């Protein structure tokens, strides 16, 4: 069993989750400590106030270290927001002489070739994830190292983001005196936390419903094939409720947490809930169906936007694994039923992170998916992480979801 411990930081629009974890001999994520604190300074996944964001991060890291007495030596940080965009690029490399075997350096070189794409001045590459290798036209090669051929090709999923948003997130962490070891986009991390190997191989879409954004990742053939971020999340449901019900944001959030549902049963539709409206001191009864209708309307809009993104991936009709909903917003009762209706998939389930340890009960909540996925990503580093250059910057590293790089 490895003694290496990593610290994950999920920087969200409503909360910061800080998690410490190691890996068991069986390969499971063992959660050694986890905290969540309110987040200020982040809207729709991007930093809007450096000082407030840094303070929120510092609160989370200090609370983790204090309550669980775990060392914090570098952070693996999540990144979200509508500026995130994933695309697929190809690279190729002639093998000279043709009789020699393909080496680790060949693999790194061909992936780097796929990264030589024109990027607008205000954007930069965040992650490069090989999807598929090909040798002399033969597809679906998983481990090209050690094989023979005359031409090596790769299809790489490259995730880009706006430079200023990326730099601001990194700067907020550094302002607390901590080091950024890696930045991972939120939908990739969430997918790693809640999907099985079979679902990643067969084809499955992950939908992470956060406070300010809904992030989408499509996995197929054992790799990530598509990423996108939609600027609509659970906060928009609360906003709809306090505007339409004429209540305070706090009262709307309470109603959502206690009585919120995207799909009511016949019995529940006959129920009433007490609502305190603005300017009133006494609560008035309101049909629960009114609350549910507001929620369902927004959830349907979110599901339609998600469907558009999955269709954009070109894999809408070839996802045997269906759709997995996760994130804090996936806790609304009936949300899976509404998504199933809109997306047209028979299989839509709520995804819980797969973890072990004394704090597994808390860490297995859908709201913790990104943090657990960050830890899983970092803990696999020894097997599947490789520098693309001589520098030590996380920006210059390549990561696959399979063990594509043989150990030297």
């Amino acid at each position: 069993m490895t003694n290496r411990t990593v610290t994950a930081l999920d920087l969200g629009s409503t909360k910061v989750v800080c998690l410490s974890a190691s890996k068991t001999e069986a390969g499971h994520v063992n959660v050694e400590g986890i905290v969540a604190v309110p987040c200020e300074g982040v809207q729709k996944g991007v930093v809007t106030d450096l000082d407030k964001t840094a303070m929120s991060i510092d609160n989370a890291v200090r609370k983790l270290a204090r309550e669980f007495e775990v060392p914090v030596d570098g952070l693996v940080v999540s990144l979200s927001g509508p500026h995130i965009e994933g695309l697929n690029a190809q690279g190729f490399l002639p093998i000279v002489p043709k009789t020699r075997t393909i080496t680790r350096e060949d693999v790194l070189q061909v992936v780097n070739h796929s990264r030589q794409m024109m990027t607008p001045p205000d954007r930069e590459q965040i992650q490069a994830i090989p999807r598929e290798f090909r040798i002399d036209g033969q597809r679906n090669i998983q481990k090209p190292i050690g094989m023979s051929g005359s031409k090596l090709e790769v299809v790489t999923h490259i995730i880009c983001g706006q430079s200023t948003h990326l730099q601001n997130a990194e700067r907020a962490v550094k302002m607390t005196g901590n080091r950024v070891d890696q930045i991972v986009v939120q939908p990739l991390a969430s997918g790693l936390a809640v999907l099985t190997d079979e679902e990643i191989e067969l084809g499955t879409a992950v939908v992470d419903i956060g406070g300010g954004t809904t992030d989408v990742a499509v996995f197929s053939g054992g790799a990530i094939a598509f990423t996108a971020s939609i600027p609509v999340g659970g906060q928009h449901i609360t906003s709809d409720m306090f505007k339409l019900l004429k209540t305070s944001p706090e009262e709307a959030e309470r109603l959502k947490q206690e009585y919120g549902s995207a799909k009511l049963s016949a019995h529940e539709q006959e129920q009433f809930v007490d609502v305190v409206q603005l300017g009133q001191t006494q609560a008035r009864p309101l049909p629960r169906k009114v609350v549910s209708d507001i929620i369902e309307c927004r959830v349907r809009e979110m599901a339609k936007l998600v469907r558009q993104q999955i269709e954009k991936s070109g894999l809408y009709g070839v996802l045997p694994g269906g759709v997995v909903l996760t994130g804090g917003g996936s806790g609304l009762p009936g949300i899976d039923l509404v998504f199933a209706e809109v997306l047209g998939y028979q299989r839509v389930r709520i995804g819980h992170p797969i973890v072990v340890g004394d704090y597994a009960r808390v860490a297995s909540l859908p709201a913790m998916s990104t943090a657990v996925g960050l830890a899983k990503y970092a803990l696999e580093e020894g097997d599947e992480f490789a520098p693309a250059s001589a520098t030590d910057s996380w920006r210059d590293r390549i990561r696959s979801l399979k063990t594509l790089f043989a150990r030297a």
Side-chain angles (χ1 to χ4, degrees):
M1 179 175 177
T2 179
N3 293 321
R4 193 168 73 91
T5 299
V6 300
T7 305
L9 184 82
D10 176 20
L11 186 59
S13 300
T14 58
K15 69 181 184 305
V16 177
V17 177
C18 198
L19 176 149
S20 178
S22 58
K23 186 168 70 170
T24 67
E25 291 181 350
H28 298 127
V29 176
N30 176 45
V31 178
E32 299 176 353
I34 183 170
V35 299
V37 302
C39 183
E40 296 183 8
V42 177
Q43 295 182 8
K44 296 183 179 179
V46 301
V47 175
T48 56
D49 188 311
L50 266 176
D51 291 335
K52 288 184 177 180
T53 302
M55 187 176 297
S56 299
I57 294 172
D58 192 54
N59 288 340
V61 174
R62 288 180 181 274
K63 185 177 181 181
L64 179 76
R66 181 176 65 252
E67 293 187 4
F68 298 95
E69 298 181 348
V70 293
V72 177
D73 181 26
L75 301 171
V76 185
V77 184
S78 68
L79 187 71
S80 182
H83 65 102
I84 299 295
E85 180 184 19
L87 51 89
N88 298 308
Q90 291 185 305
F92 69 91
L93 177 73
I95 304 300
V96 182
K98 296 180 181 179
T99 54
R100 75 171 176 84
T101 58
I102 295 171
T103 66
R104 186 188 193 91
E105 289 304 313
D106 293 327
V107 172
L108 295 175
Q109 191 173 343
V110 76
V111 174
N112 280 333
H113 181 260
S114 70
R115 299 179 72 178
Q116 304 306 310
M117 49 179 286
M118 293 296 295
T119 306
D122 64 335
R123 300 180 67 80
E124 63 180 281
Q125 295 181 20
I126 302 170
Q127 290 178 275
I129 307 167
R131 288 185 56 192
E132 172 194 18
F133 289 95
R134 302 170 186 172
I135 299 176
D136 294 341
Q138 181 182 348
R139 303 187 58 174
N140 299 317
I141 302 293
Q142 296 184 8
K143 298 180 181 179
I145 297 173
M147 300 181 70
S148 299
S150 60
K151 184 173 72 171
L152 177 64
E153 299 175 88
V154 67
V155 177
T156 306
H157 187 68
I158 298 175
I159 304 174
C160 300
Q162 193 164 336
S163 299
T164 54
H165 296 324
L166 181 62
Q167 292 163 7
N168 285 336
E170 197 168 11
R171 188 174 294 117
V173 173
K174 290 181 178 179
M175 286 172 63
T176 68
N178 291 286
R179 182 183 73 247
V180 176
D181 283 346
Q182 179 73 31
I183 288 183
V184 182
V185 292
Q186 184 169 322
L188 170 60
S190 297
L192 293 177
V194 301
L195 295 184
T196 64
D197 292 343
E198 183 181 30
E199 287 174 326
I200 293 177
E201 186 67 38
L202 291 177
T204 307
V206 172
V207 180
D208 187 320
I209 306 172
T213 62
T214 295
D215 296 294
V216 182
V218 179
F219 295 80
S220 181
I224 189 168
F226 178 83
T227 49
S229 185
I230 302 166
V232 180
Q235 287 179 323
H236 294 80
I237 296 175
T238 305
S239 177
D240 291 343
M241 290 177 63
F242 74 71
K243 289 177 181 177
L244 295 173
L245 297 178
K246 296 180 174 56
T247 68
S248 66
E250 294 75 19
E251 176 71 356
E253 183 65 25
R254 181 190 71 82
L255 289 170
K256 186 177 76 171
Q257 295 295 330
E258 295 182 9
Y259 305 105
S261 177
K263 207 76 170 172
L264 291 179
S265 65
H267 170 70
E268 290 172 328
Q269 290 183 11
E270 298 176 357
Q271 296 177 349
F272 283 78
V273 297
D274 290 332
V275 181
V276 178
Q277 294 181 306
L278 293 174
Q280 303 295 321
T281 56
Q282 297 293 324
R284 55 167 292 195
L286 193 72
R288 188 175 176 183
K289 186 178 184 304
V290 173
V291 177
S292 177
D293 286 346
I294 295 172
I295 294 173
E296 182 177 353
C297 183
R298 177 63 79 170
V299 169
R300 283 190 177 277
E301 181 203 9
M302 293 164 62
K304 289 177 182 177
L305 293 172
V306 167
R307 175 165 179 159
Q308 289 174 6
Q309 293 299 325
I310 298 176
E311 290 175 340
K312 184 179 176 181
S313 75
L315 296 171
Y316 175 80
V318 286
L319 296 177
V323 174
V324 177
L325 305 179
T326 193
S330 67
L332 276 171
I335 193 170
D336 53 333
L337 301 177
V338 175
F339 266 79
E341 290 178 8
V342 175
L343 297 177
Y345 288 111
Q346 291 184 343
R347 186 184 181 195
V348 176
R349 70 174 179 88
I350 307 300
H352 295 258
I354 304 168
V355 295
V356 298
D358 294 338
Y359 308 102
R361 185 182 63 82
V362 175
S364 63
L365 295 173
M368 305 302 174
S369 293
T370 299
V372 172
L374 291 172
K376 184 175 182 180
Y377 186 99
L379 287 168
E380 295 294 336
E381 178 178 326
D383 295 329
E384 303 178 352
F385 210 67
S389 70
T391 69
D392 194 36
S393 171
W394 63 263
R395 288 173 169 80
D396 297 319
R397 296 171 182 171
I398 298 168
R399 177 66 193 274
S400 66
L401 301 189
K402 297 179 178 179
T403 308
L404 298 176
F405 301 103
R407 290 192 178 219

